[in-house]
């Protein structure tokens, strides 16, 4: 059993983060540097799942005003971080009144970035299991369906 290959231990060891008890109105995924791809991927998957509208931001952009649309009771702030980013993220998030989800890894470099991708996917599965999400075709307007299915040349 197990995940084969050099990165098998990264994916086998990945665990989901805890999610807030209340369902989100919207989700903001924060990530910078090697954590940015996982945060961006998480935001896209949240939107695709139908769980909630979601955006991705660099933590510094969030600090410079991207927080203005956040609802202190219903916006989930999902923060992806590498080990070397933890001191800054701890300072940044101190006192932020939003439901907070921390997706972190003890690994550095590419292994840590890949573990964040895995942990993000598992965290989304946990959120969907707790709060339910299933985009129904009827909820997607025709013009938006066209955007999704339009062929890229």
């Amino acid at each position: 059993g197990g995940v084969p290959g050099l990165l098998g231990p990264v994916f086998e060891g990945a665990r989901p983060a805890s999610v807030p008890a209340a369902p989100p109105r919207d989700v903001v995924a924060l990530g910078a540097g090697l954590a940015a791809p996982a945060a961006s991927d998480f935001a896209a998957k949240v939107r695709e799942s139908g769980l909630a509208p979601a955006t991705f931001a660099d933590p510094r952009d969030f600090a410079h005003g991207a927080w203005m649309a956040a609802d202190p009771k219903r916006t989930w702030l999902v923060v992806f971080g590498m080990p070397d980013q933890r001191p800054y993220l701890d300072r940044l998030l101190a006192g932020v009144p939003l439901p907070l989800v921390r997706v972190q890894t003890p690994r550095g470099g590419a292994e840590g970035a890949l573990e964040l991708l895995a942990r993000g996917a598992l965290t989304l599965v946990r959120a969907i299991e707790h709060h339910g999400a299933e985009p129904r075709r009827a909820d997607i307007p025709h013009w938006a369906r066209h955007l999704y299915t339009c062929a890229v040349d």
Side-chain angles (χ1 to χ4, degrees):
V3 180
L6 291 174
L7 295 174
V10 171
F11 289 96
E12 280 185 348
R15 299 285 179 260
S18 297
V19 297
R25 178 199 72 172
D26 62 308
V27 174
V28 177
L30 299 182
L34 289 175
S40 176
D41 182 67
F42 184 82
K45 285 181 172 33
V46 167
R47 290 188 303 270
E48 290 173 352
S49 76
L51 180 65
T55 57
F56 158 71
D58 181 288
R60 294 157 295 207
D61 290 336
F62 187 75
H64 285 275
W67 54 265
M68 288 191 274
D71 176 340
K73 293 185 175 134
R74 302 280 312 277
T75 299
W76 286 11
L77 187 60
V78 183
V79 183
F80 289 77
M82 301 293 289
D84 60 336
Q85 297 170 333
R86 187 175 187 131
Y88 168 70
L89 292 173
D90 287 346
R91 289 190 313 274
L92 180 74
L93 301 171
V96 171
L98 302 174
L100 185 62
V101 178
R102 302 270 314 234
V103 182
Q104 298 179 311
T105 176
R107 302 171 195 267
E111 282 187 352
L114 289 170
E115 183 176 357
L116 289 178
L117 280 166
R119 290 199 71 209
L122 293 170
T123 299
L124 179 58
V125 168
R126 176 175 276 175
I128 290 168
E129 288 172 348
H130 284 228
H131 300 294
E134 188 176 326
R136 297 187 322 249
R137 193 168 178 85
D139 293 343
I140 302 170
H142 177 73
W143 64 268
R145 199 170 309 125
H146 169 73
L147 294 172
Y148 189 78
T149 60
C150 184
V152 177
D153 297 330

